[in-house]
Amino acid sequence: MIYLDNSATTLKKPAVVIEAVTNALSQLGNSGRGVHEDSLKSSEVIFQTRQALCRLFNGEQARQIVFTSGATESLNLAIEGMLFGNDHVITTALEHNSVLRPLYRMQKEKGLELTIIPADKQGNLDYSDFESAIKEQTKAIIVTHASNVTGNIVDLEKISGICEKHGLYLIVDASQSAGVLPIDVQALKIDLLCFTGHKSLYGPQGTGGLYVRPGISLRPLKVGGSGIDTFNPQHPTSFPTALEAGTLNGHGIAGLGAGVHYLLDQTIEKLSQETGRISQLFYEEVSKIDDLIVYGDFSTNQRCPIVSLNLGQRDSAEISDLLSYEYGIATRSGGHCAPLMHEALGTKEQGVVRFSFSSFTTEHEIWEAIAALQKISQKG
């Protein structure tokens, strides 16, 4: 199988990630639940992963990294933990349902006021729309760093400048960009950064987290066991314990830590240069196919390694199935949990076929995928 569905999850992991998870399963106890060696070893691995993530994102302190089950939980925690019913929040048509659905729920149940900035036919935003949307009760801008449909990058510097000018919080969904693009939370003045572990951070599924800028407190989604302050009827408020009730996924976090250390050793710049090269090669070659339509803005080199396309008016699921069953190529078709993005692109009914690459994708695999699309197009 040629695996080109890395925006959903990276299938091919660095060997160190697999080794870390395997070792953790037999060596790690429950962090913070004892002073015996296996518990302490788990605490050490988890802390080292916090440190590595803090370094990757240039955070201030390791304790500002909170572990979750992934970006969906992180975004729910950020949204539910910061916003109230009388707040106004601005987001965009580029967003995943992990952003939209928590906002819609708060809008329906608590009266949250919501403004959604539209995208154009290429999936780009007009940044002046953000300024126009700001009201007296606006509290935050929530924005994805990169579209999971087009791979287009959002200019966080511009968004950050708008937030700073108007005293707004900046909440960023880095599901597609963490591990692909350099992210400096201090330079960009990001208040909450939500990320998942199982994509370009090369960690296992069920891992992820949230960077919380010092000085910000959030209402926790859950409370319970913490391993400390047992006789206090209230959940501890110190970070990161305040937002990490229950047993952490130590085995998964060990793998996530290995993935982050791999990225730090290899450098995001080096890995992204290669994924950018093969992504551009794929785009240039498939664009030569007569009835093929590519979505997104390819006028800039700074993109996530995603190419979404359709062959004429043929259903995207049909093309994805042919690629899988006849050519052994894994892609993702349909709506990609991003309904407003598809409305902007005009692909609500047809969906798109998404090809997404990683640093483990080879040039040979790229040419195989190009040849497969050529053959499918010729067969009609």
Side-chain angles (χ1 to χ4, degrees):
M1 174 66 75
I2 295 174
Y3 186 81
L4 302 179
D5 192 21
N6 293 280
S7 287
T9 193
T10 47
L11 182 66
K12 296 180 181 179
K13 312 286 188 185
V16 290
V17 172
I18 299 168
E19 183 182 354
V21 174
T22 302
N23 290 339
L25 287 169
S26 60
Q27 295 176 10
L28 299 190
N30 196 333
S31 173
R33 304 310 197 266
V35 293
H36 52 81
E37 183 180 355
D38 295 332
S39 176
L40 294 175
K41 192 180 296 182
S42 181
S43 296
E44 181 182 7
V45 168
I46 288 170
F47 181 68
Q48 288 172 346
T49 304
R50 286 193 214 279
Q51 287 183 311
L53 285 162
C54 188
R55 180 181 162 197
L56 184 73
F57 299 133
N58 192 33
E60 297 86 350
Q61 301 165 331
R63 66 170 177 261
Q64 302 308 129
I65 301 293
V66 174
F67 289 115
T68 66
S69 62
T72 297
E73 183 179 350
S74 297
L75 287 161
N76 273 264
L77 176 55
I79 290 166
E80 295 279 354
M82 173 173 280
L83 301 176
F84 292 89
N86 58 349
D87 290 329
H88 172 242
V89 66
I90 301 169
T91 191
T92 82
L94 278 61
E95 308 309 312
H96 190 277
N97 274 335
S98 295
V99 170
L100 296 175
R101 284 177 173 165
L103 290 173
Y104 290 153
R105 183 170 69 175
M106 286 198 73
Q107 186 181 39
K108 180 180 179 181
E109 296 179 359
K110 299 181 181 180
L112 179 78
E113 190 176 355
L114 178 63
T115 297
I116 299 175
I117 303 301
D120 65 19
K121 290 289 186 181
Q122 283 191 306
N124 288 322
L125 301 169
D126 182 340
Y127 293 95
S128 65
D129 287 345
F130 288 89
E131 291 273 4
S132 303
I134 293 170
K135 304 179 179 183
E136 186 178 347
Q137 69 272 32
T138 305
K139 189 169 187 178
I141 294 177
I142 306 176
V143 65
T144 186
H145 192 186
S147 167
N148 72 319
V149 178
T150 65
N152 290 1
I153 304 301
V154 170
D155 191 335
L156 288 184
E157 257 188 76
K158 284 185 179 177
I159 302 290
S160 176
I162 294 168
C163 287
E164 186 176 22
K165 176 182 175 182
H166 295 278
L168 308 179
Y169 291 106
L170 175 57
I171 303 173
V172 176
D173 176 6
S175 297
Q176 295 299 326
S177 60
V180 175
L181 303 171
I183 300 173
D184 186 328
V185 293
Q186 293 192 67
L188 290 168
K189 297 180 174 61
I190 295 173
D191 295 295
L192 301 174
L193 181 78
C194 305
F195 59 91
T196 195
H198 68 101
K199 297 185 182 184
S200 294
L201 295 182
Y202 294 114
Q205 295 175 359
T207 63
L210 174 69
Y211 157 80
V212 183
R213 183 177 58 77
I216 293 178
S217 64
L218 300 174
R219 300 186 301 280
L221 281 180
K222 55 188 178 182
V223 295
S226 60
I228 61 171
D229 208 9
T230 295
F231 296 100
N232 185 347
Q234 305 301 318
H235 193 78
T237 57
S238 58
F239 270 74
T241 310
L243 303 176
E244 289 182 345
T247 295
L248 289 175
N249 178 11
H251 304 142
I253 291 170
L256 174 58
V260 175
H261 279 107
Y262 172 83
L263 283 169
L264 290 169
D265 290 342
Q266 295 291 319
T267 74
I268 287 176
E269 290 77 10
K270 176 185 173 184
L271 296 177
S272 293
Q273 186 175 13
E274 179 58 18
T275 55
R277 184 186 72 82
I278 60 174
S279 179
Q280 184 67 21
L281 170 64
F282 180 80
Y283 163 71
E284 289 175 357
E285 292 299 320
V286 298
S287 295
K288 298 174 184 176
I289 299 173
D290 287 339
D291 58 343
L292 189 141
I293 306 162
V294 179
Y295 302 93
D297 185 356
F298 287 81
S299 64
T300 173
N301 291 328
Q302 192 175 43
R303 299 177 40 80
C304 277
I306 293 171
V307 179
S308 290
L309 54 83
N310 275 316
L311 281 170
Q313 298 302 311
R314 297 169 72 176
D315 187 79
S316 62
E318 175 200 349
I319 304 303
S320 194
D321 286 349
L322 285 171
L323 287 165
S324 178
Y325 298 126
E326 294 192 15
Y327 299 94
I329 299 171
T331 60
R332 169 88 185 277
S333 64
H336 310 88
C337 302
L340 302 183
M341 185 78 268
H342 282 277
E343 287 182 16
L345 298 175
T347 54
K348 184 178 178 180
E349 301 300 326
Q350 187 180 14
V352 299
V353 184
R354 184 182 69 187
F355 292 76
S356 49
F357 316 109
S358 85
S359 61
F360 289 96
T361 305
T362 66
E363 188 169 319
H364 171 74
E365 291 174 325
I366 293 294
W367 284 110
E368 288 291 307
I370 293 166
L373 284 169
Q374 290 170 337
K375 290 174 185 175
I376 293 171
S377 175
Q378 289 163 7
K379 288 179 182 178

